[in-house]
PDB file of all heavy atoms in Angstrom:
ATOM      1  N   ASP A   1      85.085  62.447  83.244  1.00 97.00           N
ATOM      2  CA  ASP A   1      83.885  63.044  83.890  1.00 97.00           C
ATOM      3  C   ASP A   1      84.334  63.752  85.154  1.00 97.00           C
ATOM      4  O   ASP A   1      83.632  64.780  85.378  1.00 97.00           O
ATOM      5  CB  ASP A   1      82.880  61.914  84.206  1.00 97.00           C
ATOM      6  CG  ASP A   1      82.076  61.556  83.231  1.00 97.00           C
ATOM      7  OD1 ASP A   1      82.316  61.841  81.972  1.00 97.00           O
ATOM      8  OD2 ASP A   1      81.062  60.699  83.307  1.00 97.00           O
ATOM      9  N   LEU A   2      85.327  63.312  85.826  1.00 97.00           N
ATOM     10  CA  LEU A   2      85.776  63.909  87.094  1.00 97.00           C
ATOM     11  C   LEU A   2      86.185  65.443  86.759  1.00 97.00           C
ATOM     12  O   LEU A   2      85.852  66.341  87.510  1.00 97.00           O
ATOM     13  CB  LEU A   2      86.957  63.166  87.577  1.00 97.00           C
ATOM     14  CG  LEU A   2      87.614  63.720  88.826  1.00 97.00           C
ATOM     15  CD1 LEU A   2      86.724  63.727  90.088  1.00 97.00           C
ATOM     16  CD2 LEU A   2      88.974  63.118  89.152  1.00 97.00           C
ATOM     17  N   ILE A   3      86.981  65.587  85.709  1.00 96.00           N
ATOM     18  CA  ILE A   3      87.429  66.981  85.460  1.00 96.00           C
ATOM     19  C   ILE A   3      86.401  67.907  84.716  1.00 96.00           C
ATOM     20  O   ILE A   3      86.701  69.057  84.548  1.00 96.00           O
ATOM     21  CB  ILE A   3      88.765  66.826  84.542  1.00 96.00           C
ATOM     22  CG1 ILE A   3      88.535  66.322  83.167  1.00 96.00           C
ATOM     23  CG2 ILE A   3      89.807  66.102  85.285  1.00 96.00           C
ATOM     24  CD1 ILE A   3      89.661  66.378  82.280  1.00 96.00           C
ATOM     25  N   ASP A   4      85.300  67.367  84.679  1.00 95.00           N
ATOM     26  CA  ASP A   4      84.149  68.161  83.947  1.00 95.00           C
ATOM     27  C   ASP A   4      83.365  68.991  84.829  1.00 95.00           C
ATOM     28  O   ASP A   4      82.514  69.703  84.478  1.00 95.00           O
ATOM     29  CB  ASP A   4      83.336  67.204  83.051  1.00 95.00           C
ATOM     30  CG  ASP A   4      82.568  67.878  81.964  1.00 95.00           C
ATOM     31  OD1 ASP A   4      83.182  68.985  81.498  1.00 95.00           O
ATOM     32  OD2 ASP A   4      81.558  67.383  81.546  1.00 95.00           O
ATOM     33  N   TYR A   5      83.643  68.900  86.166  1.00 96.00           N
ATOM     34  CA  TYR A   5      82.850  69.672  87.169  1.00 96.00           C
ATOM     35  C   TYR A   5      83.718  70.680  87.962  1.00 96.00           C
ATOM     36  O   TYR A   5      84.548  70.189  88.712  1.00 96.00           O
ATOM     37  CB  TYR A   5      82.270  68.575  88.162  1.00 96.00           C
ATOM     38  CG  TYR A   5      81.295  67.694  87.574  1.00 96.00           C
ATOM     39  CD1 TYR A   5      81.771  66.514  87.242  1.00 96.00           C
ATOM     40  CD2 TYR A   5      79.860  67.979  87.576  1.00 96.00           C
ATOM     41  CE1 TYR A   5      80.743  65.564  86.642  1.00 96.00           C
ATOM     42  CE2 TYR A   5      78.963  67.132  87.075  1.00 96.00           C
ATOM     43  CZ  TYR A   5      79.347  65.907  86.448  1.00 96.00           C
ATOM     44  OH  TYR A   5      78.407  65.078  86.003  1.00 96.00           O
ATOM     45  N   PRO A   6      83.300  71.939  87.745  1.00 96.00           N
ATOM     46  CA  PRO A   6      84.097  72.958  88.535  1.00 96.00           C
ATOM     47  C   PRO A   6      83.629  72.930  90.008  1.00 96.00           C
ATOM     48  O   PRO A   6      82.645  72.244  90.407  1.00 96.00           O
ATOM     49  CB  PRO A   6      83.745  74.263  87.938  1.00 96.00           C
ATOM     50  CG  PRO A   6      82.394  74.038  87.181  1.00 96.00           C
ATOM     51  CD  PRO A   6      82.461  72.550  86.815  1.00 96.00           C
ATOM     52  N   VAL A   7      84.519  73.426  90.946  1.00 97.00           N
ATOM     53  CA  VAL A   7      84.129  73.297  92.349  1.00 97.00           C
ATOM     54  C   VAL A   7      84.351  74.833  92.911  1.00 97.00           C
ATOM     55  O   VAL A   7      85.355  75.464  92.555  1.00 97.00           O
ATOM     56  CB  VAL A   7      85.207  72.510  93.084  1.00 97.00           C
ATOM     57  CG1 VAL A   7      85.008  72.595  94.667  1.00 97.00           C
ATOM     58  CG2 VAL A   7      84.975  71.040  92.657  1.00 97.00           C
ATOM     59  N   GLU A   8      83.364  75.321  93.657  1.00 97.00           N
ATOM     60  CA  GLU A   8      83.442  76.753  94.314  1.00 97.00           C
ATOM     61  C   GLU A   8      83.222  76.263  95.785  1.00 97.00           C
ATOM     62  O   GLU A   8      82.443  75.628  96.261  1.00 97.00           O
ATOM     63  CB  GLU A   8      82.276  77.534  93.804  1.00 97.00           C
ATOM     64  CG  GLU A   8      82.164  78.936  94.686  1.00 97.00           C
ATOM     65  CD  GLU A   8      83.229  79.856  94.132  1.00 97.00           C
ATOM     66  OE1 GLU A   8      83.841  79.644  93.032  1.00 97.00           O
ATOM     67  OE2 GLU A   8      83.248  80.739  94.854  1.00 97.00           O
ATOM     68  N   MET A   9      84.212  76.954  96.547  1.00 98.00           N
ATOM     69  CA  MET A   9      84.145  76.917  98.072  1.00 98.00           C
ATOM     70  C   MET A   9      84.249  78.369  98.524  1.00 98.00           C
ATOM     71  O   MET A   9      85.143  79.116  98.209  1.00 98.00           O
ATOM     72  CB  MET A   9      85.310  76.116  98.553  1.00 98.00           C
ATOM     73  CG  MET A   9      85.321  74.659  98.151  1.00 98.00           C
ATOM     74  SD  MET A   9      86.660  73.712  98.719  1.00 98.00           S
ATOM     75  CE  MET A   9      88.146  74.431  98.004  1.00 98.00           C
ATOM     76  N   ALA A  10      83.204  78.755  99.289  1.00 98.00           N
ATOM     77  CA  ALA A  10      83.235  80.148  99.929  1.00 98.00           C
ATOM     78  C   ALA A  10      81.942  80.227 100.849  1.00 98.00           C
ATOM     79  O   ALA A  10      81.244  79.200 101.045  1.00 98.00           O
ATOM     80  CB  ALA A  10      83.076  81.076  98.815  1.00 98.00           C
ATOM     81  N   ASP A  11      81.720  81.467 101.441  1.00 97.00           N
ATOM     82  CA  ASP A  11      80.648  81.731 102.069  1.00 97.00           C
ATOM     83  C   ASP A  11      79.681  82.310 101.102  1.00 97.00           C
ATOM     84  O   ASP A  11      79.498  83.562 101.035  1.00 97.00           O
ATOM     85  CB  ASP A  11      80.892  82.667 103.249  1.00 97.00           C
ATOM     86  CG  ASP A  11      79.703  83.005 104.337  1.00 97.00           C
ATOM     87  OD1 ASP A  11      78.577  82.329 103.942  1.00 97.00           O
ATOM     88  OD2 ASP A  11      79.883  83.960 104.927  1.00 97.00           O
ATOM     89  N   PHE A  12      79.100  81.597 100.253  1.00 98.00           N
ATOM     90  CA  PHE A  12      78.299  82.144  99.178  1.00 98.00           C
ATOM     91  C   PHE A  12      76.828  82.152  99.470  1.00 98.00           C
ATOM     92  O   PHE A  12      76.365  81.477 100.455  1.00 98.00           O
ATOM     93  CB  PHE A  12      78.538  81.273  97.774  1.00 98.00           C
ATOM     94  CG  PHE A  12      78.480  79.749  97.943  1.00 98.00           C
ATOM     95  CD1 PHE A  12      77.187  79.131  98.188  1.00 98.00           C
ATOM     96  CD2 PHE A  12      79.517  78.923  98.108  1.00 98.00           C
ATOM     97  CE1 PHE A  12      77.122  77.680  98.302  1.00 98.00           C
ATOM     98  CE2 PHE A  12      79.475  77.621  98.225  1.00 98.00           C
ATOM     99  CZ  PHE A  12      78.123  76.969  98.347  1.00 98.00           C
ATOM    100  N   ASP A  13      76.137  82.724  98.530  1.00 97.00           N
ATOM    101  CA  ASP A  13      74.558  82.869  98.510  1.00 97.00           C
ATOM    102  C   ASP A  13      74.149  81.944  97.443  1.00 97.00           C
ATOM    103  O   ASP A  13      74.713  81.740  96.435  1.00 97.00           O
ATOM    104  CB  ASP A  13      74.116  84.265  98.225  1.00 97.00           C
ATOM    105  CG  ASP A  13      74.449  85.307  99.380  1.00 97.00           C
ATOM    106  OD1 ASP A  13      74.541  84.813 100.580  1.00 97.00           O
ATOM    107  OD2 ASP A  13      74.815  86.412  99.027  1.00 97.00           O
ATOM    108  N   THR A  14      72.931  81.427  97.652  1.00 97.00           N
ATOM    109  CA  THR A  14      72.326  80.361  96.610  1.00 97.00           C
ATOM    110  C   THR A  14      70.851  80.605  96.613  1.00 97.00           C
ATOM    111  O   THR A  14      70.203  80.875  97.638  1.00 97.00           O
ATOM    112  CB  THR A  14      72.782  79.036  97.003  1.00 97.00           C
ATOM    113  OG1 THR A  14      72.293  78.103  95.973  1.00 97.00           O
ATOM    114  CG2 THR A  14      72.303  78.477  98.416  1.00 97.00           C
ATOM    115  N   VAL A  15      70.348  80.177  95.550  1.00 98.00           N
ATOM    116  CA  VAL A  15      68.969  79.982  95.287  1.00 98.00           C
ATOM    117  C   VAL A  15      68.569  78.809  94.476  1.00 98.00           C
ATOM    118  O   VAL A  15      69.474  78.489  93.630  1.00 98.00           O
ATOM    119  CB  VAL A  15      68.303  81.288  94.702  1.00 98.00           C
ATOM    120  CG1 VAL A  15      68.841  81.337  93.290  1.00 98.00           C
ATOM    121  CG2 VAL A  15      66.660  81.197  94.670  1.00 98.00           C
ATOM    122  N   THR A  16      67.643  78.065  94.929  1.00 97.00           N
ATOM    123  CA  THR A  16      67.372  76.764  94.170  1.00 97.00           C
ATOM    124  C   THR A  16      65.986  76.832  93.573  1.00 97.00           C
ATOM    125  O   THR A  16      64.984  77.346  94.139  1.00 97.00           O
ATOM    126  CB  THR A  16      67.475  75.569  95.130  1.00 97.00           C
ATOM    127  OG1 THR A  16      68.796  75.615  95.778  1.00 97.00           O
ATOM    128  CG2 THR A  16      67.140  74.352  94.515  1.00 97.00           C
ATOM    129  N   PHE A  17      65.804  76.332  92.286  1.00 97.00           N
ATOM    130  CA  PHE A  17      64.595  76.168  91.684  1.00 97.00           C
ATOM    131  C   PHE A  17      64.431  74.848  90.878  1.00 97.00           C
ATOM    132  O   PHE A  17      65.585  74.276  90.617  1.00 97.00           O
ATOM    133  CB  PHE A  17      64.249  77.415  90.698  1.00 97.00           C
ATOM    134  CG  PHE A  17      65.288  77.487  89.627  1.00 97.00           C
ATOM    135  CD1 PHE A  17      65.024  76.804  88.377  1.00 97.00           C
ATOM    136  CD2 PHE A  17      66.535  78.180  89.800  1.00 97.00           C
ATOM    137  CE1 PHE A  17      65.990  76.986  87.278  1.00 97.00           C
ATOM    138  CE2 PHE A  17      67.418  78.284  88.720  1.00 97.00           C
ATOM    139  CZ  PHE A  17      67.233  77.705  87.508  1.00 97.00           C
ATOM    140  N   ASP A  18      63.285  74.312  90.737  1.00 97.00           N
ATOM    141  CA  ASP A  18      63.139  73.128  90.116  1.00 97.00           C
ATOM    142  C   ASP A  18      62.535  73.307  88.502  1.00 97.00           C
ATOM    143  O   ASP A  18      61.761  74.282  88.339  1.00 97.00           O
ATOM    144  CB  ASP A  18      61.991  72.136  90.735  1.00 97.00           C
ATOM    145  CG  ASP A  18      62.592  71.509  91.831  1.00 97.00           C
ATOM    146  OD1 ASP A  18      63.842  71.603  92.195  1.00 97.00           O
ATOM    147  OD2 ASP A  18      61.903  70.815  92.627  1.00 97.00           O
ATOM    148  N   VAL A  19      63.033  72.369  87.668  1.00 97.00           N
ATOM    149  CA  VAL A  19      62.645  72.513  86.244  1.00 97.00           C
ATOM    150  C   VAL A  19      62.461  70.920  85.997  1.00 97.00           C
ATOM    151  O   VAL A  19      63.486  70.273  86.127  1.00 97.00           O
ATOM    152  CB  VAL A  19      63.373  73.129  85.363  1.00 97.00           C
ATOM    153  CG1 VAL A  19      62.923  73.088  83.902  1.00 97.00           C
ATOM    154  CG2 VAL A  19      63.642  74.611  85.676  1.00 97.00           C
ATOM    155  N   ALA A  20      61.361  70.589  85.531  1.00 95.00           N
ATOM    156  CA  ALA A  20      61.074  69.033  85.162  1.00 95.00           C
ATOM    157  C   ALA A  20      61.499  68.151  86.336  1.00 95.00           C
ATOM    158  O   ALA A  20      62.027  67.097  86.008  1.00 95.00           O
ATOM    159  CB  ALA A  20      61.926  68.748  83.902  1.00 95.00           C
ATOM    160  N   GLY A  21      61.368  68.645  87.503  1.00 94.00           N
ATOM    161  CA  GLY A  21      61.681  67.760  88.626  1.00 94.00           C
ATOM    162  C   GLY A  21      63.185  67.753  88.970  1.00 94.00           C
ATOM    163  O   GLY A  21      63.572  66.927  89.895  1.00 94.00           O
ATOM    164  N   VAL A  22      63.809  68.506  88.433  1.00 93.00           N
ATOM    165  CA  VAL A  22      65.337  68.565  88.625  1.00 93.00           C
ATOM    166  C   VAL A  22      65.773  69.859  89.325  1.00 93.00           C
ATOM    167  O   VAL A  22      65.408  70.891  88.854  1.00 93.00           O
ATOM    168  CB  VAL A  22      66.202  68.420  87.323  1.00 93.00           C
ATOM    169  CG1 VAL A  22      67.720  68.505  87.442  1.00 93.00           C
ATOM    170  CG2 VAL A  22      65.842  67.219  86.546  1.00 93.00           C
ATOM    171  N   PRO A  23      66.469  69.736  90.468  1.00 95.00           N
ATOM    172  CA  PRO A  23      66.780  70.947  91.117  1.00 95.00           C
ATOM    173  C   PRO A  23      67.943  71.685  90.460  1.00 95.00           C
ATOM    174  O   PRO A  23      68.904  70.952  89.976  1.00 95.00           O
ATOM    175  CB  PRO A  23      67.214  70.446  92.665  1.00 95.00           C
ATOM    176  CG  PRO A  23      67.399  69.039  92.459  1.00 95.00           C
ATOM    177  CD  PRO A  23      66.630  68.486  91.249  1.00 95.00           C
ATOM    178  N   HIS A  24      67.826  72.898  90.330  1.00 96.00           N
ATOM    179  CA  HIS A  24      68.871  73.779  89.729  1.00 96.00           C
ATOM    180  C   HIS A  24      69.385  74.771  90.844  1.00 96.00           C
ATOM    181  O   HIS A  24      68.452  75.359  91.532  1.00 96.00           O
ATOM    182  CB  HIS A  24      68.393  74.561  88.512  1.00 96.00           C
ATOM    183  CG  HIS A  24      68.099  73.676  87.344  1.00 96.00           C
ATOM    184  ND1 HIS A  24      67.024  72.781  87.345  1.00 96.00           N
ATOM    185  CD2 HIS A  24      68.645  73.635  86.119  1.00 96.00           C
ATOM    186  CE1 HIS A  24      66.934  72.201  86.257  1.00 96.00           C
ATOM    187  NE2 HIS A  24      67.890  72.711  85.411  1.00 96.00           N
ATOM    188  N   HIS A  25      70.667  74.995  90.977  1.00 96.00           N
ATOM    189  CA  HIS A  25      71.167  75.824  91.990  1.00 96.00           C
ATOM    190  C   HIS A  25      71.901  76.926  91.353  1.00 96.00           C
ATOM    191  O   HIS A  25      72.804  76.777  90.527  1.00 96.00           O
ATOM    192  CB  HIS A  25      72.088  74.953  92.990  1.00 96.00           C
ATOM    193  CG  HIS A  25      71.479  73.812  93.507  1.00 96.00           C
ATOM    194  ND1 HIS A  25      70.622  73.866  94.590  1.00 96.00           N
ATOM    195  CD2 HIS A  25      71.696  72.599  93.270  1.00 96.00           C
ATOM    196  CE1 HIS A  25      70.288  72.581  94.836  1.00 96.00           C
ATOM    197  NE2 HIS A  25      70.844  71.845  94.035  1.00 96.00           N
ATOM    198  N   VAL A  26      71.589  78.252  91.756  1.00 97.00           N
ATOM    199  CA  VAL A  26      72.489  79.395  91.398  1.00 97.00           C
ATOM    200  C   VAL A  26      73.209  79.666  92.569  1.00 97.00           C
ATOM    201  O   VAL A  26      72.662  79.880  93.708  1.00 97.00           O
ATOM    202  CB  VAL A  26      71.651  80.518  91.004  1.00 97.00           C
ATOM    203  CG1 VAL A  26      72.499  81.762  90.650  1.00 97.00           C
ATOM    204  CG2 VAL A  26      70.655  80.201  89.766  1.00 97.00           C
ATOM    205  N   VAL A  27      74.645  79.746  92.430  1.00 97.00           N
ATOM    206  CA  VAL A  27      75.536  80.116  93.443  1.00 97.00           C
ATOM    207  C   VAL A  27      76.331  81.335  93.135  1.00 97.00           C
ATOM    208  O   VAL A  27      76.816  81.474  92.038  1.00 97.00           O
ATOM    209  CB  VAL A  27      76.615  78.902  93.691  1.00 97.00           C
ATOM    210  CG1 VAL A  27      77.694  79.198  94.703  1.00 97.00           C
ATOM    211  CG2 VAL A  27      75.808  77.644  94.102  1.00 97.00           C
ATOM    212  N   VAL A  28      76.326  82.217  94.036  1.00 97.00           N
ATOM    213  CA  VAL A  28      76.938  83.537  93.966  1.00 97.00           C
ATOM    214  C   VAL A  28      77.874  83.873  95.016  1.00 97.00           C
ATOM    215  O   VAL A  28      77.509  83.871  96.167  1.00 97.00           O
ATOM    216  CB  VAL A  28      76.029  84.723  93.695  1.00 97.00           C
ATOM    217  CG1 VAL A  28      76.682  86.013  93.506  1.00 97.00           C
ATOM    218  CG2 VAL A  28      74.863  84.442  92.532  1.00 97.00           C
ATOM    219  N   SER A  29      79.189  84.002  94.670  1.00 94.00           N
ATOM    220  CA  SER A  29      80.242  84.233  95.743  1.00 94.00           C
ATOM    221  C   SER A  29      80.619  85.752  95.715  1.00 94.00           C
ATOM    222  O   SER A  29      80.459  86.519  94.555  1.00 94.00           O
ATOM    223  CB  SER A  29      81.474  83.433  95.388  1.00 94.00           C
ATOM    224  OG  SER A  29      81.329  82.145  95.585  1.00 94.00           O
ATOM    225  N   GLY A  30      80.955  86.246  96.822  1.00 92.00           N
ATOM    226  CA  GLY A  30      81.356  87.638  96.957  1.00 92.00           C
ATOM    227  C   GLY A  30      80.231  88.599  97.076  1.00 92.00           C
ATOM    228  O   GLY A  30      79.089  88.172  97.152  1.00 92.00           O
ATOM    229  N   ARG A  31      80.518  89.843  97.392  1.00 93.00           N
ATOM    230  CA  ARG A  31      79.559  90.782  97.628  1.00 93.00           C
ATOM    231  C   ARG A  31      78.766  91.104  96.351  1.00 93.00           C
ATOM    232  O   ARG A  31      79.335  91.260  95.282  1.00 93.00           O
ATOM    233  CB  ARG A  31      80.247  92.143  98.037  1.00 93.00           C
ATOM    234  CG  ARG A  31      79.268  93.173  98.510  1.00 93.00           C
ATOM    235  CD  ARG A  31      79.917  94.422  98.903  1.00 93.00           C
ATOM    236  NE  ARG A  31      81.312  94.196  99.385  1.00 93.00           N
ATOM    237  CZ  ARG A  31      82.098  95.049  99.869  1.00 93.00           C
ATOM    238  NH1 ARG A  31      81.852  96.314  99.835  1.00 93.00           N
ATOM    239  NH2 ARG A  31      83.451  94.806 100.311  1.00 93.00           N
ATOM    240  N   HIS A  32      77.493  91.010  96.445  1.00 95.00           N
ATOM    241  CA  HIS A  32      76.642  91.368  95.265  1.00 95.00           C
ATOM    242  C   HIS A  32      75.260  91.957  95.686  1.00 95.00           C
ATOM    243  O   HIS A  32      74.988  91.919  96.933  1.00 95.00           O
ATOM    244  CB  HIS A  32      76.380  90.076  94.494  1.00 95.00           C
ATOM    245  CG  HIS A  32      75.528  89.081  95.322  1.00 95.00           C
ATOM    246  ND1 HIS A  32      74.039  89.109  95.127  1.00 95.00           N
ATOM    247  CD2 HIS A  32      75.781  88.162  96.177  1.00 95.00           C
ATOM    248  CE1 HIS A  32      73.590  88.129  95.936  1.00 95.00           C
ATOM    249  NE2 HIS A  32      74.528  87.482  96.593  1.00 95.00           N
ATOM    250  N   TYR A  33      74.669  92.579  94.815  1.00 96.00           N
ATOM    251  CA  TYR A  33      73.306  93.226  95.082  1.00 96.00           C
ATOM    252  C   TYR A  33      72.300  92.446  94.108  1.00 96.00           C
ATOM    253  O   TYR A  33      71.287  93.012  93.928  1.00 96.00           O
ATOM    254  CB  TYR A  33      73.433  94.637  94.904  1.00 96.00           C
ATOM    255  CG  TYR A  33      74.412  95.306  95.717  1.00 96.00           C
ATOM    256  CD1 TYR A  33      75.606  95.663  95.242  1.00 96.00           C
ATOM    257  CD2 TYR A  33      74.134  95.484  97.119  1.00 96.00           C
ATOM    258  CE1 TYR A  33      76.533  96.200  96.033  1.00 96.00           C
ATOM    259  CE2 TYR A  33      75.230  96.054  97.938  1.00 96.00           C
ATOM    260  CZ  TYR A  33      76.450  96.333  97.370  1.00 96.00           C
ATOM    261  OH  TYR A  33      77.400  96.936  98.259  1.00 96.00           O
ATOM    262  N   GLY A  34      72.540  91.282  93.784  1.00 95.00           N
ATOM    263  CA  GLY A  34      71.580  90.584  92.779  1.00 95.00           C
ATOM    264  C   GLY A  34      70.338  90.103  93.526  1.00 95.00           C
ATOM    265  O   GLY A  34      70.378  89.766  94.692  1.00 95.00           O
ATOM    266  N   ASP A  35      69.313  90.153  92.882  1.00 98.00           N
ATOM    267  CA  ASP A  35      68.080  89.539  93.320  1.00 98.00           C
ATOM    268  C   ASP A  35      67.908  88.171  92.911  1.00 98.00           C
ATOM    269  O   ASP A  35      67.504  87.832  91.827  1.00 98.00           O
ATOM    270  CB  ASP A  35      66.790  90.387  92.646  1.00 98.00           C
ATOM    271  CG  ASP A  35      65.439  89.935  93.164  1.00 98.00           C
ATOM    272  OD1 ASP A  35      65.393  88.863  93.602  1.00 98.00           O
ATOM    273  OD2 ASP A  35      64.574  90.746  92.829  1.00 98.00           O
ATOM    274  N   LEU A  36      68.418  87.272  93.769  1.00 98.00           N
ATOM    275  CA  LEU A  36      68.523  85.769  93.289  1.00 98.00           C
ATOM    276  C   LEU A  36      67.210  85.209  93.108  1.00 98.00           C
ATOM    277  O   LEU A  36      67.147  84.302  92.211  1.00 98.00           O
ATOM    278  CB  LEU A  36      69.198  85.114  94.525  1.00 98.00           C
ATOM    279  CG  LEU A  36      70.630  85.458  94.877  1.00 98.00           C
ATOM    280  CD1 LEU A  36      71.345  84.577  95.864  1.00 98.00           C
ATOM    281  CD2 LEU A  36      71.456  85.452  93.526  1.00 98.00           C
ATOM    282  N   ASP A  37      66.161  85.629  93.774  1.00 98.00           N
ATOM    283  CA  ASP A  37      64.894  85.062  93.490  1.00 98.00           C
ATOM    284  C   ASP A  37      64.350  85.423  91.931  1.00 98.00           C
ATOM    285  O   ASP A  37      63.852  84.700  91.322  1.00 98.00           O
ATOM    286  CB  ASP A  37      63.756  85.571  94.435  1.00 98.00           C
ATOM    287  CG  ASP A  37      64.002  84.982  95.831  1.00 98.00           C
ATOM    288  OD1 ASP A  37      64.535  83.793  95.979  1.00 98.00           O
ATOM    289  OD2 ASP A  37      63.650  85.637  96.853  1.00 98.00           O
ATOM    290  N   ARG A  38      64.687  86.679  91.516  1.00 98.00           N
ATOM    291  CA  ARG A  38      64.373  87.050  90.286  1.00 98.00           C
ATOM    292  C   ARG A  38      65.231  86.348  89.220  1.00 98.00           C
ATOM    293  O   ARG A  38      64.797  85.824  88.175  1.00 98.00           O
ATOM    294  CB  ARG A  38      64.593  88.589  89.986  1.00 98.00           C
ATOM    295  CG  ARG A  38      64.305  88.946  88.691  1.00 98.00           C
ATOM    296  CD  ARG A  38      64.189  90.381  88.461  1.00 98.00           C
ATOM    297  NE  ARG A  38      63.963  90.715  87.075  1.00 98.00           N
ATOM    298  CZ  ARG A  38      63.953  91.885  86.407  1.00 98.00           C
ATOM    299  NH1 ARG A  38      64.311  92.880  87.293  1.00 98.00           N
ATOM    300  NH2 ARG A  38      63.648  92.071  85.316  1.00 98.00           N
ATOM    301  N   ILE A  39      66.480  86.151  89.631  1.00 98.00           N
ATOM    302  CA  ILE A  39      67.392  85.354  88.780  1.00 98.00           C
ATOM    303  C   ILE A  39      66.844  83.911  88.528  1.00 98.00           C
ATOM    304  O   ILE A  39      66.732  83.397  87.347  1.00 98.00           O
ATOM    305  CB  ILE A  39      68.834  85.399  89.252  1.00 98.00           C
ATOM    306  CG1 ILE A  39      69.411  86.719  89.141  1.00 98.00           C
ATOM    307  CG2 ILE A  39      69.612  84.415  88.606  1.00 98.00           C
ATOM    308  CD1 ILE A  39      70.757  86.992  89.862  1.00 98.00           C
ATOM    309  N   ALA A  40      66.308  83.401  89.575  1.00 98.00           N
ATOM    310  CA  ALA A  40      65.783  81.977  89.591  1.00 98.00           C
ATOM    311  C   ALA A  40      64.608  82.003  88.573  1.00 98.00           C
ATOM    312  O   ALA A  40      64.421  81.134  87.703  1.00 98.00           O
ATOM    313  CB  ALA A  40      65.396  81.496  90.845  1.00 98.00           C
TER     314      ALA A  40
END
């Protein structure tokens, strides 16, 4: 189980949304022009 989870460390952008009471996080590192709210 330990090796099954990737790790990202950076000054990243994130957006969070809930589905069935479970929070889901989208994390984007680096320069981007994505619309994170639309992605969510």
Side-chain angles (χ1 to χ4, degrees):
D1 280 12
L2 176 69
I3 64 173
D4 204 25
Y5 293 93
V7 175
E8 175 74 15
M9 298 183 291
D11 184 10
F12 51 73
D13 293 322
T14 184
V15 64
T16 301
F17 60 93
D18 279 355
V19 177
V22 176
H24 293 62
H25 308 284
V26 177
V27 174
V28 180
S29 288
R31 188 178 337 177
H32 69 89
Y33 301 101
D35 181 345
L36 295 184
D37 291 329
R38 180 173 178 187
I39 291 171

